[in-house]
Amino acid sequence: MRAFTYERAKSPREAAAAVAADPTARFIAGGTNLLDLMKLEIETPARLVDVNGLKLDEIAPTKDGGLRIGALVRNTDLAADKRVRKDYGVLSRALLAGASGQLRNKATTAGNLLQRTRCPYFYDTNMPCNKRTPGAGCSAIGGFTRSLAVLGASEACIATHPSDMAVALRVLDATVETVTPDGTERSIPIADFHRLPGQTPHVETALARGELITSVTLPRPVGGVHAYRKVRDRASYAFALVSVASVIHKDGSGRIALGGVAHKPWRVETAESSLPRGAKAISEGLLAGARTTSQNAFKLTLTERAIGAAVAEARA
Amino acid sequence: MKFDTPATTNPIDQLKVVGKPVDRIDGPLKTTGRAPYAYERHDAIPDIAYGYVVGAAIAKGRIVSMDLSRAKAAPGVLAIVTAAEAGKLAKGDFNTAMLLGGPDIQHYHQAIAIVVAETFEQARAAAGLVKVDYERAKGTFDLVSAKDGATKPKDGGPDSAVGDFEAAFAAAPVKLDETYTTPDHGHAMMEPHASIAAWKGDKLSLWTSNQMIAWGAGDVAKTLGVPRENVRLMSPFIGGGFGGKLFVRADAILAALGAKAAGRPVKVALTRPFMFNNTTHRPATIQRIRIGTDRAGKITAIGHESWSGDLPGGGPETAVQQTRLLYAGENRMTKTRLAVLDLPEGNAMRAPGEAPGLMALEVAVDELAEKLGIDPVEFRVLNDTQVDPEKPSRPFSQRRLNECLRTGADKFGWSRRAKPGQARDGRWLVGMGVAAAFRNNLVMKSAARVRLETSGVVTVETDMTDIGTGSYTIIAQTAAEMMGVPLTRVNVRLGDSSFPVSAGSGGQWGANSSTAGVYAACVKLREAVAGKLGLDAAQAQFADGRVKVGNQSLPLEQAAASGPVTAEDFMEYGDLTKTHQQSTFGAHFVEVGVDADTAEIRIRRMLAVCAAGRILNPKSARSQVIGAMVMGAGAALMEELVVDKRIGFFVNHDLAGYEVPVHADIPHQEVIFLDETDPMSSPMKAKGVGELGICGVGAAVANAVYNATGVRVREYPVTLDKLLEKMPVLA
Amino acid sequence: MAILDDLQLSRREVMATGAAVGVATAPGVAAAAPAEPGPSVMKVSFTVNGQRQTLELDTRTTLLDALREHLKLTGSKKGCDHGQCGACTVIVDGRRINSCLSLAVMHEGDEVTTIEGLGSPEKLHPLQAAFVRHDGYQCGYCTPGQICSAKAVLDEIKAGVPSHVTADLNAKVQFSEDELRERMSGNICRCGAYSNIVAAVAEVAGGPILGKGA
């Protein structure tokens, strides 16, 4: 870990300006991912701006009947919030399926969105990685790919996004609210927040340098049966091989988003009209364009079957 | 003392303390965080600097140049040692690769430097500034492609043959010929390899985490080229080993080199992401099993071949060992072949040989039983042998495998087992599996010193280690039983190379062998005490803190009135292991649920029935067995060090990537010990149990998955992707 | 859905990998890395087991290393240093966290409870006593983390915090052994004492010890 200076931010705007002005600066909140990466020198900030004191830790109703979740609300508190449990069950479920109790107590809403990939080649600094060093090449392609992406990957990167929470937010059409270094506020639909790798896998989100997430808003509840099905080898404390966030209505219509399959939570709205016809039907649209390796091809079958289970459970 | 005739009645048979499920005596220290592990010995030595190890970034090749200038100039740095600075280092007797590599690199993450600094943070940061240029050499990393070039290993009797296997197998009316694979496994003990080294002149003190103190002291001395008597190893608490700490590793050698260079005590812990490629692992195997039977299910031919790989000069995974002894059959063969691989060093991990060997054999047996239409419990019973099947004149000292199987079947409700793919509980396909457990009982010479203090307390000193096995407690129980004092009056000191040399912790020999050594020393102490009290040692009874002969009864501590009374002895072994085959036996029963949609596998019930001689402490012995069952469950369902065959390293080298079972994977576990003593093993009449528990459990899980789904997987771990395409079609 | 052959996709990258590794550098050394700055030192005060502590620390120091290396409270263990094992679990302001993934300087004014604060060999906390009674440990290295975690888990259940295995998110959270197993899953025990740990924690919770019979 490189040496760094540490300071506590006083306001979101100041924090954003400070980080924008200093290319070696990073925000820190829960720290559960950033410190992990700093120990391995995958992240090497020379300055940390602690945003924990910014009072962004409230969950409050919005004018239009939704919820505004402060960027610093801990994963535990968000999952346990009575309103979230009642109206946005898929979000509670996704959070509770992730990490461990200890990590959820520290991890924040914004930090969860900004988690970096768990690709093992990204995590080993001896291995070329386009995310760590643009242009270096991808060691994962042709290597151990069982957990890696089957959708939206590129020749430059086949990493997946590890978040469960983000998959639920995607199915709920959440919006990421930010403050930019010049003090203006911005709303970014969750669909546009995470990026596909393309030729720039190191650019992972729509955030500009220094732009600080202040909250995530959920639109008014959509009803339906909420479920988050996370499939993994180990029963707990493991990243998803595949996960399915689903909101399914009585008439069989609904929404599906996938985790563990791409560089971002995967949702294809145009495919959702085929959901009432069952898992096979929606999977055709959802998984269109999939490119697999011999090690991760199973994710396609698995996804279809997991969606099938979600649909069956919703109908039961 | 030499143990060369079967044990008769002795003071241990009183079973006033031995055999009781007493709480571990080290429990209060461990549960309150007061037990000090190697890296934590601030109490023992002041002014410790921090070392951080730099590892090789390539799997094979050589270092062209190292630039240490920036690292040396970094804040707080006291010293940097590389192979160039270290002078001549030897390879330890128990190591395959050099613990400090360079210029030649033998495997990925081989240590190539230690950076010593005032603080951990400074040492870690400076280590990141060491710049290395390598020249990469072509290596061999794939066991499958290296298999055909594998050769007969030099040591350990790689081949066995009795009768005419090929002919008998060809003629058998029912036969099985299948190939199974097991992957590389990591020990992943919770305490990383760690050491503190301090030099006083040319004498080295090492507080370290090591299972085998005498081996360790010897190899530290050899590696550094210092006299053995100048090295003192101390390892009173060890945060898990499982074979990974049998041998001296880079932390100890580099701490010593760093301390010498810095002129300060230095502490080093290997980081978790570094451990998997830097240290040892259980090697992957390819195993071909052929078994032929007559129509009634009697085995007529049994053959087991195994291929594994290791660095040049390394050894094979002896996965065929149990097949020479477990089942009857007149025509037999085993074969072990070793390929040269440039992966990190393969070596012992809990039940080396049997653990992966039974993962294959006991699935083969399950498959064959099904072919025969015989219940797998009955098939095993049918093929039991009470003698060494290669040498029928040589009986087993004890062999109650059938009783383990039958008892287990009864307790587990085995008769309710359905046909494959037929049992359902909601979304779960449910299945049961069984496997035999088998592991040889090894006996090792072991010494101890016991001292009756003036206070009447009995102190035991031996270099035996407690790696979580319960050594402290069973040694205290042994001394208490022998000297007739309560457990609270026994003080046990372990893991110090200045103490008499014990068996150490490995090969499940520790409990029986180390307590037998304490027994021998206590016999001597009893003689000395009786002598001091003027009593006839042969007649003396030691009980309730007193020594009695006839009507005479004197308090024990009276013998130490004029000073402590000390005795030292060892137990060594004669030919009983040659005349009798000593093994431990068990039966594992497992019930799994397989998610009908996703093929996720979850264990629902586990039962082990064990016959392993006298159980010295049923509480800690049970823990050994359930813990081994957990490790076996991991091997069955998730554990795999994934080899990148292009680059030559284990890719998933941390605890997020290398998954081991967590709480949620493990249900309540049951263990039954058959009431048994084995007078051939030692005066303790005990045998090992710490490895028996992992033997066969993986196969029982795999067999249960087959029973649940009707899908047979022969490549471990059994994961959902291997089931998915063959799972029942959903409605 | 195209099936992309591993080797086909990767031929170019494998060669790139080979070449890059051929002249690999040690972790983190970028070509134009700036000169290593000196450590940044800060003062931080927090309470550990009821005692006020003020430390001058390198900002890089984790809470775990502050406890172990500076305050010599070595009961909290370093098993992985990456939040992947739970051996470092301590309780901060009533919540369990991985102290390895938290900077000490971020705990200004916090109340930290470590295993040493729960009990001593002479006066065991009920959980510590139950772990001894049920043999809920073997090597002992994960044990302090297990016990700190267990204490917080019982509080979490009482407070109604749901878990992954809670059947109904909108009903009161009930104590069960499955709840314990899920909630304790962030504490790895390689010795495999899980079954005994659950028995020990269940006993302290006063809940039924379910699943005793095979």
Side-chain angles (χ1 to χ4, degrees):
Chain A
M1 191 187 291
R2 307 277 179 86
F4 57 83
T5 60
Y6 168 84
E7 68 205 61
R8 298 184 183 99
K10 301 203 173 50
S11 77
R13 190 183 162 176
E14 272 179 48
V19 171
D22 182 352
T24 71
R26 291 290 308 264
F27 300 117
I28 186 166
T32 52
N33 192 207
L34 182 60
L35 290 172
D36 170 32
L37 296 169
M38 285 169 64
K39 288 178 185 192
L40 297 166
E41 298 200 355
I42 295 165
E43 298 269 10
T44 53
R47 179 179 176 190
L48 285 185
V49 178
D50 183 347
V51 296
N52 281 294
L54 296 184
K55 310 252 181 296
L56 301 170
D57 52 1
E58 301 247 300
I59 305 174
T62 61
K63 282 189 300 241
D64 52 0
L67 273 186
R68 180 182 306 279
I69 302 157
L72 294 169
V73 172
R74 307 292 151 167
N75 288 176
T76 299
D77 299 314
L78 183 54
D81 185 271
K82 288 241 155 66
R83 295 160 292 188
V84 174
R85 284 153 77 172
K86 179 167 155 285
D87 294 330
Y88 306 97
V90 64
L91 178 55
S92 269
R93 286 294 181 200
L95 285 159
L96 295 171
S100 68
Q102 292 95 311
L103 290 164
R104 292 192 298 270
N105 278 342
K106 267 276 153 203
T108 63
T109 307
N112 191 318
L113 282 174
L114 295 174
Q115 281 183 85
R116 305 202 67 192
T117 185
R118 291 286 166 167
C119 172
Y121 296 89
F122 171 73
Y123 259 80
D124 189 329
T125 49
N126 292 322
M127 300 299 143
C129 171
N130 287 321
K131 264 187 188 298
R132 276 189 278 104
T133 314
C138 170
S139 345
I141 295 173
F144 175 45
T145 56
R146 180 173 184 257
S147 63
L148 300 179
V150 294
L151 288 158
S154 71
E155 303 285 316
C157 180
I158 55 168
T160 55
H161 195 267
S163 171
D164 294 299
M165 182 194 78
V167 183
L169 292 181
R170 181 74 179 86
V171 90
L172 291 170
D173 283 331
T175 304
V176 181
E177 314 285 351
T178 70
V179 57
T180 59
D182 65 5
T184 57
E185 291 176 7
R186 189 155 85 110
S187 296
I188 308 168
I190 187 74
D192 302 332
F193 185 78
H194 294 107
R195 298 168 46 117
L196 289 178
Q199 291 309 303
T200 55
H202 59 291
V203 183
E204 293 170 353
T205 69
L207 294 179
R209 167 107 217 131
E211 189 171 5
L212 178 70
I213 300 174
T214 52
S215 65
V216 171
T217 53
L218 299 177
R220 56 186 309 139
V222 294
V225 177
H226 287 223
Y228 186 76
R229 186 63 187 277
K230 181 174 183 177
V231 183
R232 43 191 165 176
D233 298 317
R234 188 156 85 173
S236 187
Y237 201 19
F239 294 96
L241 291 167
V242 159
S243 67
V244 176
S246 57
V247 176
I248 298 175
H249 302 285
K250 278 214 164 67
D251 61 3
S253 69
R255 315 160 167 200
I256 301 275
L258 305 177
V261 293
H263 201 255
K264 59 187 285 188
W266 194 258
R267 183 172 169 199
V268 181
E269 276 88 342
T270 53
E272 285 170 5
S273 59
S274 52
L275 182 55
R277 289 189 285 120
K280 197 174 180 63
I282 187 175
S283 295
E284 263 172 41
L286 252 182
L287 305 178
R291 295 205 309 173
T292 63
T293 68
S294 56
Q295 293 169 32
N296 67 16
F298 75 94
K299 288 191 175 189
L300 303 183
T301 314
L302 182 58
T303 299
E304 187 181 322
R305 295 179 73 113
I307 292 172
V311 169
E313 251 179 72
R315 282 177 184 163
Chain B
M1 188 179 276
K2 188 162 189 176
F3 184 74
D4 50 11
T5 54
T8 54
T9 304
N10 67 48
I12 296 296
D13 294 322
Q14 299 171 94
L15 299 180
K16 287 181 184 166
V17 195
V18 169
K20 296 278 191 285
V22 299
D23 293 345
R24 289 177 200 234
I25 61 174
D26 47 339
L29 285 179
K30 284 181 172 174
T31 56
T32 58
R34 264 66 164 199
Y37 296 80
Y39 197 74
E40 303 165 356
R41 297 305 301 270
H42 308 120
D43 61 312
I45 187 105
D47 196 29
I48 308 171
Y50 291 79
Y52 198 91
V53 179
V54 180
I58 63 168
K60 193 181 181 188
R62 54 189 290 276
I63 295 172
V64 176
S65 66
M66 286 179 93
D67 179 0
L68 307 178
S69 56
R70 288 186 65 204
K72 278 186 174 158
V77 170
L78 301 168
I80 300 179
V81 183
T82 68
E85 281 91 27
K88 191 173 158 16
L89 296 176
K91 186 179 71 60
D93 289 340
F94 295 94
N95 297 133
T96 305
M98 293 294 289
L99 294 177
L100 178 59
D104 292 332
I105 300 301
Q106 295 165 289
H107 63 87
Y108 189 70
H109 274 174
Q110 184 174 28
I112 56 169
I114 178 172
V115 177
V116 181
E118 291 286 349
T119 71
F120 171 68
E121 292 76 22
Q122 291 170 335
R124 180 176 57 191
L129 298 171
V130 173
K131 193 177 182 318
V132 188
D133 285 334
Y134 299 96
E135 190 178 278
R136 213 167 110 146
K138 194 176 167 337
T140 306
F141 309 118
D142 179 15
L143 178 61
V144 173
S145 53
K147 177 177 173 253
D148 289 341
T151 57
K152 211 187 260 202
K154 283 197 298 266
D155 308 319
D159 292 352
S160 70
V162 173
D164 185 344
F165 169 78
E166 295 291 346
F169 182 71
V174 182
K175 54 188 142 194
L176 168 126
D177 179 354
E178 292 290 354
T179 298
Y180 305 84
T181 62
T182 62
D184 298 283
H185 289 151
H187 304 85
M189 70 298 274
M190 297 314 295
E191 181 206 20
H193 301 261
S195 297
I196 301 177
W199 292 89
K200 200 172 178 183
D202 55 2
K203 297 213 188 282
L204 172 67
S205 292
L206 262 175
W207 292 266
T208 189
S209 188
N210 191 295
Q211 300 174 220
M212 302 292 296
I213 300 302
W215 293 3
D219 261 1
V220 168
K222 184 177 177 195
T223 306
L224 298 175
V226 300
R228 163 81 187 253
E229 60 272 20
N230 286 8
V231 176
R232 183 170 173 200
L233 242 66
M234 285 153 285
S235 192
F237 290 98
I238 297 158
F242 315 115
K245 292 175 181 167
L246 285 168
F247 320 116
V248 171
R249 299 300 314 170
D251 57 299
I253 297 303
L254 294 188
L257 292 171
K260 186 129 232 175
R264 287 259 298 272
V266 167
K267 59 156 109 177
V268 177
L270 302 186
T271 68
R272 181 63 62 177
F274 186 64
M275 280 171 62
F276 290 92
N277 284 285
N278 175 260
T279 68
T280 62
H281 64 276
R282 187 201 299 287
T285 65
I286 299 169
Q287 302 179 47
R288 182 186 184 193
I289 295 175
R290 284 176 286 171
I291 309 176
T293 69
D294 64 20
R295 291 197 193 285
K298 279 267 193 198
I299 294 173
T300 54
I302 183 164
H304 192 164
E305 296 156 86
S306 175
W307 291 262
S308 62
D310 202 358
L311 287 166
E317 182 68 26
T318 55
V320 305
Q321 291 299 325
Q322 72 287 320
T323 308
R324 299 178 62 178
L325 289 162
L326 187 50
Y327 296 114
E330 279 182 19
N331 303 286
R332 325 176 61 85
M333 69 84 85
T334 68
K335 209 166 89 177
T336 302
R337 292 294 176 268
L338 177 63
V340 172
L341 293 180
D342 298 298
L343 291 171
E345 176 176 336
N347 220 315
M349 177 168 152
R350 202 171 197 168
E354 279 91 340
L358 284 162
M359 285 168 79
L361 178 66
E362 287 299 283
V363 171
V365 164
D366 198 67
E367 295 198 57
L368 190 54
E370 189 183 31
K371 279 191 182 199
L372 286 158
I374 301 177
D375 180 279
V377 169
E378 293 311 316
F379 178 74
R380 289 176 173 89
V381 169
L382 182 66
N383 287 290
D384 185 48
T385 174
Q386 291 294 314
V387 295
D388 177 351
E390 289 182 5
K391 201 176 172 196
S393 61
R394 185 168 172 262
F396 282 92
S397 61
Q398 292 273 357
R399 179 171 163 128
R400 295 165 73 193
L401 175 60
N402 288 357
E403 201 177 332
C404 291
L405 287 160
R406 287 259 158 77
T407 303
D410 182 45
K411 297 279 180 196
F412 201 69
W414 181 252
S415 60
R416 296 196 302 271
R417 175 173 171 264
K419 286 198 159 41
Q422 298 299 307
R424 187 87 189 234
D425 175 11
R427 68 182 235 226
W428 299 100
L429 308 174
V430 179
M432 292 188 212
V434 65
F438 174 90
R439 174 81 175 147
N440 283 338
N441 179 57
L442 305 175
V443 288
M444 296 275 278
K445 182 178 173 182
S446 193
R449 181 161 60 224
V450 285
R451 189 164 58 242
L452 177 65
E453 313 284 2
T454 52
S455 62
V457 164
V458 177
T459 299
V460 186
E461 291 173 336
T462 165
D463 82 355
M464 181 61 190
T465 49
D466 188 331
I467 62 172
T469 38
S471 308
Y472 275 107
T473 309
I474 56 172
I475 283 172
Q477 287 175 278
T478 303
E481 194 79 75
M482 290 298 290
M483 302 311 298
V485 297
L487 208 51
T488 51
R489 303 286 280 170
V490 181
N491 182 19
V492 181
R493 302 178 65 199
L494 300 181
D496 187 327
S497 63
S498 69
F499 298 155
V501 176
S502 73
S505 298
Q508 82 168 10
W509 63 62
N512 179 54
S513 298
S514 72
T515 54
V518 173
Y519 172 94
C522 285
V523 168
K524 261 202 176 162
L525 182 62
R526 285 163 64 115
E527 286 166 5
V529 164
K532 289 262 182 194
L533 296 175
L535 299 173
D536 176 5
Q539 302 287 316
Q541 288 186 347
F542 289 68
D544 307 322
R546 303 185 73 82
V547 188
K548 296 176 206 167
V549 174
N551 293 333
Q552 262 191 303
S553 170
L554 297 169
L556 181 67
E557 62 260 37
Q558 192 177 309
S562 57
V565 186
T566 304
E568 184 175 326
D569 201 2
F570 54 80
M571 184 66 74
E572 62 181 342
Y573 296 86
D575 284 343
L576 290 176
T577 54
K578 297 197 181 77
T579 57
H580 292 75
Q581 175 57 39
Q582 295 186 21
S583 304
T584 60
F585 300 89
H588 286 289
F589 291 82
V590 172
E591 182 178 282
V592 301
V594 180
D595 188 297
D597 298 307
T598 61
E600 285 165 288
I601 305 161
R602 302 290 179 253
I603 298 176
R604 295 156 65 103
R605 295 192 294 139
M606 299 182 95
L607 165 70
V609 184
C610 301
R614 172 174 284 154
I615 300 303
L616 301 174
N617 181 334
K619 185 178 281 196
S620 56
R622 177 181 173 280
S623 289
Q624 284 292 291
V625 176
I626 65 167
M629 289 157 75
V630 171
M631 199 174 273
L637 297 177
M638 61 190 82
E639 292 184 37
E640 175 177 16
L641 286 169
V642 178
V643 179
D644 186 314
K645 293 164 192 161
R646 309 162 304 168
I647 301 168
F649 78 125
F650 296 132
V651 186
N652 50 338
H653 54 77
D654 61 22
L655 283 175
Y658 185 79
E659 291 182 4
V660 301
V662 296
H663 273 277
D665 291 299
I666 302 301
H668 180 80
Q669 296 165 303
E670 286 286 329
V671 180
I672 296 169
F673 291 113
L674 297 187
D675 191 10
E676 177 176 299
T677 53
D678 193 334
M680 301 290 178
S681 70
S682 82
M684 303 304 293
K685 304 173 188 173
K687 291 192 285 200
V689 75
E691 297 187 330
L692 179 64
I694 194 174
C695 292
V697 70
V701 173
N703 292 338
V705 171
Y706 172 74
N707 182 239
T709 61
V711 183
R712 185 68 75 178
V713 178
R714 300 185 185 90
E715 291 174 4
Y716 288 98
V718 183
T719 46
L720 60 91
D721 45 316
K722 296 169 188 169
L723 297 174
L724 215 48
E725 296 299 338
K726 300 172 195 157
M727 288 285 283
V729 178
L730 293 174
Chain C
M1 295 172 199
I3 300 294
L4 208 58
D5 179 66
D6 291 2
L7 292 172
Q8 203 179 359
L9 175 69
S10 65
R11 194 176 301 128
R12 193 174 59 80
E13 268 74 18
V14 171
M15 286 165 62
T17 298
V21 171
V23 287
T25 54
V29 181
E36 180 74 357
S40 170
V41 174
M42 276 184 79
K43 187 183 268 191
V44 63
S45 297
F46 44 74
T47 302
V48 182
N49 301 327
Q51 245 184 315
R52 181 102 178 140
Q53 301 284 359
T54 300
L55 297 167
E56 291 259 347
L57 294 174
D58 186 322
T59 50
R60 292 172 289 189
T61 311
T62 60
L63 177 59
L64 176 63
D65 284 330
L67 294 167
R68 283 171 61 82
E69 306 301 325
H70 295 264
L71 297 174
K72 312 296 187 214
L73 290 169
T74 54
S76 307
K77 303 301 183 193
K78 187 183 278 189
C80 72
D81 214 19
H82 287 276
Q84 299 164 354
C85 79
C88 66
T89 304
V90 301
I91 301 169
V92 177
D93 295 339
R95 293 183 157 210
R96 55 180 171 144
I97 67 164
N98 296 120
S99 62
C100 76
L101 286 186
S102 201
L103 295 172
V105 292
M106 294 174 77
H107 289 278
E108 181 63 40
D110 285 355
E111 282 188 26
V112 181
T113 303
T114 71
I115 190 69
E116 291 93 344
L118 290 184
S120 64
E122 298 72 36
K123 193 164 185 247
L124 297 174
H125 182 277
L127 276 165
Q128 292 167 329
F131 269 62
V132 173
R133 219 165 26 248
H134 288 275
D135 216 32
Y137 60 93
Q138 290 175 37
C139 79
Y141 201 77
C142 76
T143 313
Q146 299 276 355
I147 293 173
C148 285
S149 207
K151 181 176 185 318
V153 160
L154 297 181
D155 293 342
E156 285 163 18
I157 294 175
K158 244 180 251 162
V161 175
S163 88
H164 174 61
V165 299
T166 305
D168 182 351
L169 282 180
N170 297 303
K172 187 179 172 335
V173 177
Q174 301 291 328
F175 177 88
S176 75
E177 296 203 349
D178 280 346
E179 284 282 358
L180 274 189
R181 288 187 186 104
E182 164 58 23
R183 290 165 193 266
M184 291 295 292
S185 285
N187 292 87
I188 292 176
C189 171
R190 185 57 161 162
C191 296
Y194 296 132
S195 192
N196 290 352
I197 293 170
V198 169
V201 181
E203 182 185 278
V204 173
I209 300 176
L210 305 171
K212 262 285 180 199

